[in-house]
Amino acid sequence: MRIDIITVLPELISSPFEASILKRAIEKGLVEVHFHNLRDYTDTKYRNVDDYQFGGGAGMVLMIEPIDKCITELKSQRDYDEVIYMTPDGTTLNQKIANTLSLVENIIILCGHYKGVDQRVRDAFITKEISIGDYVLSGGELGAAVLCDTIIRLLPGVLNDETSALTDTFQDGLLAPPVYTRPAEYKGMNVPNVLLSGNFGKIEEWRENKAFERTEKLRPDLL
């Protein structure tokens, strides 16, 4: 998989890819992540990529020309399955979206900034608009990092135990059950006996029941 991220702040988004699972995935050659500074696609003296909005109003808007140049250059080199715009008014990211995107080959992610992008960018180039929640960030960079993490961890070979992702919260429409590790007893708090029994049929039944109970209590909207 290849992910190209277009941003005015590459230094803000690059750090999550320099550690942990994302770094290992890149080093293993399981994913390529490239950052493109939008300011490299403008010819103005001060490398401007934004301007005042027509009709007046507070907030600057990212201009269409540098975005067009960047996306056009990338598309001249390869085909892309999706051109994604990170925006608060997009479709809220969920596990189903992450699962679907983990199956594609090439993705462009455009990070919004300031008041957003010229609407013509959204009309002409964007195939999918994604939000990470009903709130506003200073830019789309952090949202793009979240999206990439949800996708990359699903790629075969990224996690040491590939079955781990299959038992995550939301994969089966339920929250994950409680999990425990050593010691079996700590300050009077004990691990449920069934998890120590070695009876994997009973353990699986317990986990399924607990997953349903937690979902019913914490996220009944999922049922």
Side-chain angles (χ1 to χ4, degrees):
M1 170 180 279
R2 177 184 171 113
I3 302 175
D4 288 278
I5 302 174
I6 303 173
T7 170
V8 295
L9 291 172
E11 64 276 11
L12 175 61
I13 193 174
S14 60
S15 58
F17 299 89
E18 297 169 357
S20 190
I21 290 174
L22 300 184
K23 180 181 180 182
R24 293 201 302 269
I26 293 171
E27 290 177 342
K28 287 181 178 180
L30 300 174
V31 63
E32 293 182 41
V33 181
H34 300 270
F35 307 100
H36 306 274
N37 191 334
L38 197 56
R39 298 188 188 280
D40 293 336
Y41 295 87
T42 180
D43 299 324
T44 64
K45 179 179 180 180
Y46 298 104
R47 303 177 75 202
N48 303 86
V49 294
D50 61 307
D51 207 337
Y52 295 103
Q53 54 182 309
F54 284 123
M60 305 293 281
V61 177
L62 289 177
M63 296 184 290
I64 186 171
E65 184 175 7
I67 296 173
D68 179 11
K69 287 181 178 179
C70 184
I71 292 177
T72 298
E73 180 179 296
L74 290 172
K75 284 187 172 183
S76 71
Q77 299 167 5
R78 67 193 60 82
D79 294 327
Y80 285 90
D81 301 279
E82 299 282 2
V83 180
I84 299 169
Y85 175 49
M86 303 303 302
T87 174
D89 57 4
T91 301
T92 303
L93 177 62
N94 57 33
Q95 193 61 46
K96 183 178 180 180
I97 292 174
N99 290 345
T100 300
L101 290 176
S102 72
L103 301 176
V104 306
E105 292 294 326
N106 301 312
I107 300 172
I108 293 174
I109 302 177
L110 172 62
C111 301
H113 214 67
Y114 311 117
K115 201 66 175 177
V117 300
D118 188 304
Q119 179 62 39
R120 291 168 292 184
V121 171
R122 302 172 76 163
D123 295 339
F125 304 113
I126 303 303
T127 63
K128 189 181 295 293
E129 300 186 346
I130 293 179
S131 165
I132 62 167
D134 294 340
Y135 48 85
V136 178
L137 298 171
S138 299
E141 286 78 13
L142 298 180
V146 169
L147 175 61
C148 289
D149 191 298
T150 66
I151 296 170
I152 292 172
R153 67 187 306 278
L154 296 173
L155 300 178
V158 171
L159 299 180
N160 291 331
D161 182 352
E162 292 185 14
T163 63
S164 176
L166 300 178
T167 57
D168 285 340
T169 289
F170 302 124
Q171 281 290 13
D172 58 0
L174 299 174
L175 301 184
V179 292
Y180 300 85
T181 188
R182 296 173 181 171
E185 185 278 330
Y186 183 74
K187 294 184 178 180
M189 296 179 286
N190 297 301
V191 172
N193 289 330
V194 65
L195 297 180
L196 308 175
S197 68
N199 187 328
F200 295 106
K202 289 290 186 180
I203 291 172
E204 189 60 30
E205 181 181 0
W206 179 87
R207 285 174 172 162
E208 289 177 1
N209 290 336
K210 288 298 181 181
F212 183 84
E213 289 175 9
R214 291 191 74 230
T215 306
E216 187 176 41
K217 179 181 179 180
L218 302 175
R219 289 292 303 276
D221 56 296
L222 295 175
L223 298 175

